[in-house]
Amino acid sequence: MGERGRGGCCPPMDLMRSEPMHLVQLIIPIESAHRTISYLGDLGLIQFKDLNAEKSPFQRTYANQIKRCGEMARKLRFFREQILKAGFSPAERSVTEADLNLDDVEVKLGDLEAELVEINANGDKLQRTYNELAEYKLVIQKAGEFFHSALSSAEAQQREFASNQSGEESLETPLLSEQEMTTDPSKQVKLGFIAGLVPREKSIAFERILFRATRGNVFLKQAVIDNPVTDPVSGEKVEKNVFAVFFSGERAKNKILKICDAFGANRYPFSEDLGKQAQMITEVSGRLSELKTTIDAGLVHRGNLLQTIGEQFERWNFLVRREKSIYHTLNMLSIDVTKKCLVAEGWSPVFATKQIQDALHRATQDCNSQVDAIFQVLRTREMPPTYFQTNKFTSAFQEIVDAYGVAKYQEANPGVYTIVTFPFLFAVMFGDWGHGICLLLGTLYFIIREKKLSSQKLGDIMEMTFGGRYVILLMALFSIYTGFIYNEFFSVPFEFFSRSAYSCRDLSCSEATTVGLIKTA
């Protein structure tokens, strides 16, 4: 133990105490700074100090690079929303993958965003046109029934009138006599009409407002549409009614148009000629068929594009997040007066000195730099941060302790005791070896397949359960132990060893809580 304490690879009492730390200074050539920080980040054994605390984020050296990464992250968030909205899921990032160039990825993301935005805009425009034509077809059909029924009624009345009178009057005969009409031709009035659709929930209020605004000088006819229609503006399914408003005069028309706009009633041009109505229905049906084919082709193209993006999404997302983290760390470093190197300060464990020096040397070689990075230890009176070295078994217990508070530097680590006390106290409460076996089997599944499950997205709850699999393992084992002591098997007494040596004084056990039990064996 003494040899290890004098500077070996592992400090003494490495589980009971936090690791010995020292403040180090790195002088890194500027041409190898990016790769150096990348390798040190992969190592994860140095905590950098911010040497530019007095500068704002916009005054720092690599502010533009961070802005680029932020813009790329925005595009990736847009892609994720579109992929999830389309019902796809991004593919998992492979463990072995080729290096990506940030500049190439930036250009690729820009091209894909422009293409996807154009596809979405064209698709929305075509879908809105399709919805408008679908409503237009309904208006022609329903409003055409109004005119057809009115014509049939007029013809029936004409036949009845002709049977009662022997005159030569017909439907073309004016109601007023020729003498009365010629007296003041300026008073001849022709009715106009507006047809469209109005939401069914607003139809009653729509009718009342029309009546009040025109003082009853309108005639409104409505027809219910059985199935909800897609609104062109909102794109949602809405129950609507087809309406036709008959009015007289321009002032009434202007009032009706304003009311239609206020109630969200979509208006469509309509001809009172029955022949033209049939022709319009044929034309609209043909255009609807063409638009449907075009929209389907656009959806297929959009789906293929999103699927292509989804296959590379996790790789791009990892690269952007990694680059942004590197540049954030580089902004914490100060530039030397010669502007040829960066100076970094940070805390690292004593045992990690060799690993850090190897990472610095490897970064220099990979960048073909002529100057190697300089590593030196600084003397300071500052309190070092606390660092506990953990593994996959102890990490979950350490996180439980850190959730309540982190120990001071070189203070005794409560996480070691928690490995036993936390599962045992749970088992004292749980105390059922039947449920403990079920818990053990579920945990063993996570442990046996941990390599495969660690690379998958499991969701919030499953991710938390998988992270604490070794905690749950000990909880299950201790629960089986206390369950045998309690004689509990799925909440049923299980006399595994022998019957109890104590029993009630009477069969009803009515006095058990007051008088107590008696020993029978």
Side-chain angles (χ1 to χ4, degrees):
M1 291 292 292
E3 182 180 353
R4 292 170 63 188
R6 286 193 298 268
C9 64
C10 300
M13 301 178 68
D14 50 351
L15 289 177
M16 299 296 296
R17 302 283 181 180
S18 64
E19 301 289 343
M21 307 286 288
H22 56 197
L23 182 64
V24 300
Q25 184 184 60
L26 307 177
I27 301 176
I28 309 170
I30 201 162
E31 64 271 10
S32 62
H34 182 277
R35 194 176 293 269
T36 300
I37 297 300
S38 176
Y39 289 169
L40 292 176
D42 294 336
L43 190 61
L45 290 174
I46 185 168
Q47 178 180 313
F48 290 97
K49 296 174 64 176
D50 190 0
L51 303 180
N52 298 314
E54 72 283 355
K55 293 183 179 180
S56 67
F58 304 101
Q59 295 175 335
R60 304 199 180 200
T61 308
Y62 297 93
N64 292 331
Q65 286 81 351
I66 292 177
K67 186 177 179 180
R68 285 177 57 198
C69 293
E71 180 64 18
M72 295 169 67
R74 180 196 64 79
K75 295 175 182 176
L76 288 171
R77 288 194 300 270
F78 170 68
F79 292 153
R80 180 188 290 275
E81 292 174 359
Q82 295 295 315
I83 290 172
L84 296 178
K85 187 177 179 180
F88 301 119
S89 59
E92 299 178 4
R93 185 173 61 90
S94 59
V95 178
T96 58
E97 55 185 20
D99 293 334
L100 299 174
N101 189 304
L102 187 65
D103 296 332
D104 295 340
V105 172
E106 184 179 18
V107 174
K108 184 70 173 177
L109 292 180
D111 295 340
L112 289 173
E113 184 193 28
E115 185 177 0
L116 187 57
V117 168
E118 184 179 0
I119 292 174
N120 289 341
N122 293 335
D124 293 341
K125 186 177 180 180
L126 290 173
Q127 189 64 46
R128 179 166 182 170
T129 305
Y130 181 85
N131 295 334
E132 288 178 349
L133 287 174
E135 286 192 347
Y136 190 19
K137 184 177 180 181
L138 290 172
V139 170
I140 297 173
Q141 291 174 343
K142 294 292 183 179
E145 294 177 2
F146 299 158
F147 287 86
H148 184 74
S149 61
L151 181 60
S152 301
S153 177
E155 290 177 348
Q157 291 180 4
Q158 175 63 27
R159 286 193 297 269
E160 182 181 356
F161 182 77
S163 63
N164 294 333
Q165 297 183 5
S166 59
E168 296 181 355
E169 297 176 348
S170 64
L171 285 175
E172 305 299 329
T173 305
L175 297 178
L176 299 177
S177 64
E178 184 178 356
Q179 183 179 0
E180 292 174 340
M181 290 180 63
T182 55
T183 54
D184 194 359
S186 62
K187 292 184 178 182
Q188 297 181 22
V189 177
K190 185 177 181 181
L191 293 178
F193 65 93
I194 296 175
L197 292 97
V198 64
R200 190 172 303 169
E201 60 181 9
K202 300 179 181 179
S203 60
I204 298 177
F206 179 68
E207 184 175 356
R208 289 177 180 174
I209 295 297
L210 281 177
F211 185 83
R212 292 175 182 175
T214 59
R215 298 182 181 181
N217 293 321
V218 292
F219 177 72
L220 177 65
K221 189 78 173 178
Q222 294 194 59
V224 177
I225 299 177
D226 298 331
N227 299 322
V229 296
T230 304
D231 188 76
V233 179
S234 64
E236 298 178 355
K237 292 284 187 179
V238 183
E239 293 183 343
K240 293 188 176 184
N241 292 351
V242 173
F243 69 88
V245 183
F246 297 88
F247 59 89
S248 175
E250 283 297 322
R251 294 183 61 184
K253 180 180 179 180
N254 294 333
K255 290 181 180 180
I256 294 171
L257 292 178
K258 292 180 181 179
I259 294 172
C260 289
D261 294 336
F263 279 85
N266 300 328
R267 306 182 307 274
Y268 296 95
F270 186 76
S271 175
E272 54 185 304
D273 188 0
L274 297 180
K276 290 185 178 180
Q277 291 176 14
Q279 182 182 358
M280 291 169 65
I281 290 177
T282 304
E283 293 177 358
V284 170
S285 299
R287 290 189 59 189
L288 283 173
S289 179
E290 295 175 0
L291 280 175
K292 182 64 175 176
T293 304
T294 307
I295 291 173
D296 291 341
L299 290 176
V300 171
H301 178 55
R302 181 174 180 271
N304 294 335
L305 179 63
L306 290 177
Q307 192 170 3
T308 303
I309 294 173
E311 293 174 356
Q312 303 292 329
F313 179 84
E314 290 299 334
R315 295 180 61 200
W316 294 338
N317 191 37
F318 177 77
L319 173 66
V320 171
R321 292 175 61 186
R322 179 190 179 96
E323 291 294 320
K324 193 173 184 180
S325 300
I326 291 174
Y327 286 121
H328 271 299
T329 305
L330 287 172
N331 274 337
M332 300 170 67
L333 279 55
S334 63
I335 299 182
D336 189 74
V337 291
T338 60
K339 294 187 178 181
K340 293 183 179 180
C341 60
L342 296 172
V343 180
E345 292 182 7
W347 296 96
S348 69
V350 175
F351 74 87
T353 301
K354 181 68 168 57
Q355 300 178 50
I356 293 175
Q357 290 176 341
D358 291 343
L360 295 176
H361 183 66
R362 184 157 46 93
T364 303
Q365 288 183 335
D366 293 345
C367 290
N368 297 323
S369 178
Q370 301 297 326
V371 182
D372 202 349
I374 300 175
F375 176 91
Q376 57 185 359
V377 180
L378 301 179
R379 295 184 177 273
T380 179
R381 293 182 178 273
E382 295 182 39
M383 177 65 72
T386 303
Y387 175 74
F388 294 110
Q389 191 173 10
T390 60
N391 52 39
K392 64 180 181 180
F393 182 83
T394 61
S395 60
F397 295 99
Q398 192 66 53
E399 289 177 1
I400 293 174
V401 174
D402 292 344
Y404 292 94
V406 180
K408 293 182 180 179
Y409 177 64
Q410 289 286 284
E411 188 179 0
N413 183 16
V416 179
Y417 307 99
T418 308
I419 295 175
V420 175
T421 58
F422 185 82
F424 182 75
L425 290 177
F426 169 83
V428 170
M429 172 203 69
F430 200 64
D432 190 307
W433 65 276
H435 289 100
I437 291 175
C438 296
L439 201 61
L440 177 64
L441 295 176
T443 309
L444 289 177
Y445 172 79
F446 285 116
I447 294 175
I448 293 172
R449 305 192 63 184
E450 65 180 9
K451 288 186 178 180
K452 182 177 181 180
L453 294 175
S454 60
S455 61
Q456 296 178 357
K457 290 186 177 181
L458 305 176
D460 294 337
I461 301 299
M462 293 297 292
E463 191 78 30
M464 183 175 60
T465 305
F466 178 76
R469 58 193 180 279
Y470 291 103
V471 178
I472 302 175
L473 173 66
L474 293 185
M475 288 162 59
L477 294 175
F478 279 112
S479 297
I480 295 173
Y481 168 74
T482 55
F484 277 120
I485 295 178
Y486 295 163
N487 284 338
E488 287 282 336
F489 179 76
F490 290 111
S491 301
V492 177
F494 191 88
E495 298 172 356
F496 187 78
F497 299 102
S498 63
R499 294 180 60 85
S500 176
Y502 296 87
S503 62
C504 298
R505 298 174 184 271
D506 57 351
L507 296 178
S508 63
C509 287
S510 59
E511 299 179 351
T513 57
T514 57
V515 180
L517 304 175
I518 58 174
K519 190 171 183 179
T520 58

